Amino acid sequence: MTVAAIPGPRERAGDRLFRLTIAGFAGLVLLVVLALAWQLARASTQTWRTFGPAFLWTSTWDPVGEVFGALPFLYGTAVSSLLALLIAVPLGVGSAVFLTELAPRRAAEALMFAVELLAAVPSVILGLIGVFVLVPAVRAVEPILGKTLGFLPFFRGAPYGVGLLSASLILAFMVLPYITTITREILLTVPRPLKEGMYALGATRWEVVRGVSLPYARSGVLGAVFLALGRALGETMAVTMVIGNTPKISASLFDPAYSMAAVIANELAEAASDAHLSALIAIGLTLLAVTVAVNGAARLMIYRLERR
Amino acid sequence: MSDAAYAGRRRVNAAMLALTAACAAVSAGVLLAILAYIAWQGASAIGWSFLVNLPKPVGEVGGGIANSIVGSIQVVGLAGLIGAPVGALAGVYLAEYGRGRFAFCVRFAADVLNGVPSIVVGLFAYALIVMPMKRFSALSGSVALALIMIPIVLRNTEEFIRLVPGTIREAALALGVPRWKVTLFVVLPSAGRGILTGALLALARVSGETAPLIFTAFGNRFWGEGFLSPVATLPHTIYTYAISPYEDWHRQAWAAALVLMAFVLAVNAAARVWLKPSRGAAY
């Protein structure tokens, strides 16, 4: 609620100064976003000039020979993020349904606190657990998966432990809180009369969830999924520590891979040549473009929902 | 409708609801397992000397992380001093004057910035400060963390100022108080608790950020020498120790993780208690 809407006397000099000052701070935020894109574009011109857009679909990464193509990193980022969503979305939506429809209020609040705390765990700590707990566990499970599901190309190869499977699992738990929190908030806004109407017709709880609540929440859940995808695409530390850091494209989820964020984290501080540096920043610019597009879509969906 | 059909629907109902309960149990269970495991692994390696000593040279067993703790306080502290005021004042602008196209652009920019991966923010700080100065520095790390804080603080401030009832503003304005004084000394203090808590949560979040520090603050095995030189930070030390081949460093990584996790947990729990009917504003 702002007072600005009420037409009043002319703005006082002090008020004007104050308004312009804090408008300056707001403008600073805008400036930062523009400067960010501009700086990265400027620092990566060398790469775009040398390789052109083919940088994005060639797969040689040779810092010594100064030949760069980003496809293996794009592939690793895309596959690990999508697989993470495949695991996290059902789990998150299921949790949100339980928390809104079934759990007693006290229990729901305690569980929500736990879920929110999961979002607060620093990613380097999740990576630490990934390295010493998850990777050995995955290494133990992979031969079993290979035996039972080995007819699919996704479950073949040597059980390294590090690789796409581990990265996706850890990413799934990192984005799970976002999906659960947002889905729950939307489920709480489902109008009671709609649900009561269906109960009055003799529907079971599950039928109400499936017939009323989830369809009502659909666009919001989609927004949550996009937001989670944005997080997963840019997540760095936990992925760097478990993905295996090998720039190869392989259909098997057992094989080590690489991600866009991980290659920047690993190589930037030690990049020896300008060409190498420029290529890494070009990857950063690509990552920026992708996450801004994904987040922009998510925000527009959520803005539209808020207006409803 | 036959009884058999109804019994079938009841069974589906029970099965699906049990499945959602299992989902919730997994989500919350993972957190508990993580916390318990860190506490268990960390507790066996932590001690007073670990907290107050410098790291030993590579290959020697023992040593501590005192420089990382001090470095983290330094880098995160400066980030807070830059990020919190900028975010809060921009938030005040959006809440009090936030109509029209400019405000929409700022709000959208803040949401975009919030979604930018932290490593990309780190790249920006690298291109902006490290490249021209030709050296890694604590300052560049602080700038990166501040940029991550700004959108979080901004949206949180805006939300809490909007909760201040219009009648309070009108009462002050009716007494003839200039508008800037109303905003600064009446509206801002009544939203103060929420704004401060939001800033603290943002601080807790960036204190765990590692990715943007790898090539800005860089790390250091000794005490840092001011803001223009490389400095060790807690999350970065956890990272380097975790991927190292030394058994003793792994042990220390767990202990350092316990310290960091305890800090993050304490801030989150305090914010929860302090701000009773709370809503997570960390997104």
Side-chain angles (χ1 to χ4, degrees):
Chain A
M1 209 176 300
T2 50
V3 198
I6 306 163
R10 233 163 35 102
E11 198 176 27
R12 282 183 247 202
D15 286 348
R16 197 181 157 76
L17 183 70
F18 176 68
R19 181 169 59 86
L20 291 178
T21 311
I22 60 174
F25 280 100
L28 200 62
V29 177
L30 205 59
L31 198 71
V32 161
V33 172
L34 297 176
L36 205 155
W38 185 74
Q39 275 282 358
L40 296 191
R42 207 185 49 124
S44 62
T45 38
Q46 191 187 344
T47 302
W48 301 115
R49 260 203 213 119
T50 320
F51 302 101
F55 176 69
L56 297 176
W57 59 76
T58 52
S59 49
T60 320
W61 185 261
D62 177 12
V64 180
E66 299 194 352
V67 181
F68 300 101
L71 190 63
F73 312 109
L74 290 163
Y75 175 82
T77 297
V79 172
S80 59
S81 301
L82 292 179
L83 197 61
L85 285 183
L86 217 59
I87 303 167
V89 170
L91 213 53
V93 173
S95 306
V97 167
F98 177 77
L99 289 170
T100 37
E101 307 285 334
L102 277 178
R105 241 193 70 201
R106 274 288 183 69
E109 270 173 21
L111 284 171
M112 266 326 284
F113 185 48
V115 170
E116 276 169 25
L117 268 187
L118 186 58
V121 177
S123 74
V124 70
I125 291 186
L126 282 176
L128 185 67
I129 289 169
V131 169
F132 293 109
V133 182
L134 183 68
V135 166
V138 167
R139 196 180 295 136
V141 168
E142 274 174 348
I144 303 169
L145 271 178
K147 239 177 242 159
T148 49
L149 295 167
F151 57 90
L152 294 166
F154 315 121
F155 300 105
R156 279 182 201 154
Y160 292 104
V162 293
L164 282 171
L165 190 58
S166 296
S168 310
L169 280 171
I170 212 156
L171 272 178
F173 284 109
M174 302 196 75
V175 299
L176 179 62
Y178 295 95
I179 297 173
T180 310
T181 317
I182 301 174
T183 306
R184 172 164 185 261
E185 251 163 49
I186 295 159
L187 284 179
L188 285 174
T189 66
V190 178
R192 278 193 78 85
L194 283 184
K195 294 204 274 187
E196 280 164 6
M198 215 169 147
Y199 280 128
L201 293 172
T204 61
R205 271 191 184 202
W206 167 247
E207 284 163 349
V208 172
V209 167
R210 227 191 61 170
V212 174
S213 301
L214 287 182
Y216 187 88
R218 192 169 43 204
S219 57
V221 173
L222 203 64
V225 169
F226 267 74
L227 221 54
L229 180 62
R231 293 276 159 188
L233 290 170
E235 178 43 50
T236 313
M237 296 322 297
V239 174
T240 308
M241 290 161 89
V242 302
I243 201 168
N245 298 336
T246 312
K248 259 196 312 200
I249 297 176
S250 155
S252 173
L253 301 177
F254 294 177
D255 282 345
Y258 224 145
S259 82
M260 296 161 83
V263 71
I264 300 173
N266 277 329
E267 296 186 3
L268 192 92
E270 276 112 41
S273 66
D274 284 351
H276 191 188
L277 197 65
S278 168
L280 289 169
I281 294 176
I283 290 185
L285 184 67
T286 314
L287 185 57
L288 176 71
V290 173
T291 48
V292 165
V294 169
N295 273 297
R299 289 294 170 188
L300 289 181
M301 270 181 245
I302 291 173
Y303 285 166
R304 203 180 308 151
L305 209 71
E306 275 168 359
R307 221 172 292 142
R308 187 164 72 186
Chain B
M1 190 187 355
S2 72
D3 282 348
Y6 185 57
R9 283 169 54 204
R10 291 273 301 259
R11 269 200 296 281
V12 170
N13 182 48
M16 291 313 290
L17 293 183
L19 209 60
T20 64
C23 287
V26 169
S27 310
V30 165
L31 173 87
L32 292 181
I34 288 172
L35 293 185
Y37 196 77
I38 295 168
W40 177 52
Q41 289 283 334
S44 63
I46 208 166
W48 183 246
S49 69
F50 178 72
L51 295 176
V52 297
N53 281 323
L54 278 178
K56 286 265 173 70
V58 179
E60 274 181 48
V61 171
I65 52 161
N67 60 338
S68 305
I69 294 177
V70 173
S72 258
I73 293 171
Q74 217 179 343
V75 172
V76 173
L78 182 62
L81 286 181
I82 304 170
V86 173
L89 285 173
V92 170
Y93 176 81
L94 287 187
E96 293 287 309
Y97 305 91
R99 298 166 173 224
R101 193 178 297 164
F102 175 66
F104 177 83
C105 288
V106 172
R107 211 167 276 137
F108 191 71
D111 285 344
V112 165
L113 192 58
N114 196 8
V116 171
S118 62
I119 189 142
V120 175
V121 177
L123 269 182
F124 176 53
Y126 179 84
L128 197 70
I129 299 176
V130 177
M131 264 159 64
M133 284 179 64
K134 299 200 188 326
R135 64 194 298 193
F136 300 108
S137 63
L139 175 71
S140 56
S142 292
V143 168
L145 296 187
L147 292 181
I148 297 170
M149 274 185 82
I150 287 173
I152 308 175
V153 175
L154 184 153
R155 293 297 266 179
N156 184 63
T157 305
E158 188 192 353
E159 214 169 282
F160 274 101
I161 288 189
R162 277 176 194 280
L163 290 179
V164 176
T167 47
I168 290 185
R169 286 186 191 85
E170 283 158 16
L173 286 171
L175 292 173
V177 183
R179 217 181 139 193
W180 67 272
K181 278 195 183 166
V182 174
T183 306
L184 276 186
F185 302 115
V186 177
V187 175
L188 212 53
S190 26
R193 185 182 268 211
I195 295 171
L196 219 63
T197 318
L200 257 170
L201 282 174
L203 215 59
R205 185 181 143 199
V206 296
S207 66
E209 282 291 349
T210 319
L213 296 181
I214 297 174
F215 38 80
T216 53
F218 191 67
N220 191 337
R221 294 200 54 80
F222 305 97
W223 297 107
E225 292 160 18
F227 279 100
L228 296 181
S229 60
V231 68
T233 53
L234 210 40
H236 185 256
T237 304
I238 296 173
Y239 171 60
T240 38
Y241 280 15
I243 59 170
S244 77
Y246 310 115
E247 195 74 32
D248 188 53
W249 280 16
H250 295 164
R251 196 180 54 81
Q252 293 190 23
W254 284 110
L258 179 59
V259 174
L260 182 59
M261 198 62 232
F263 172 71
V264 171
L265 259 183
V267 171
N268 273 281
R272 189 88 179 170
V273 173
W274 205 27
L275 204 72
K276 203 62 215 241
S278 77
R279 290 192 27 188
Y283 310 114

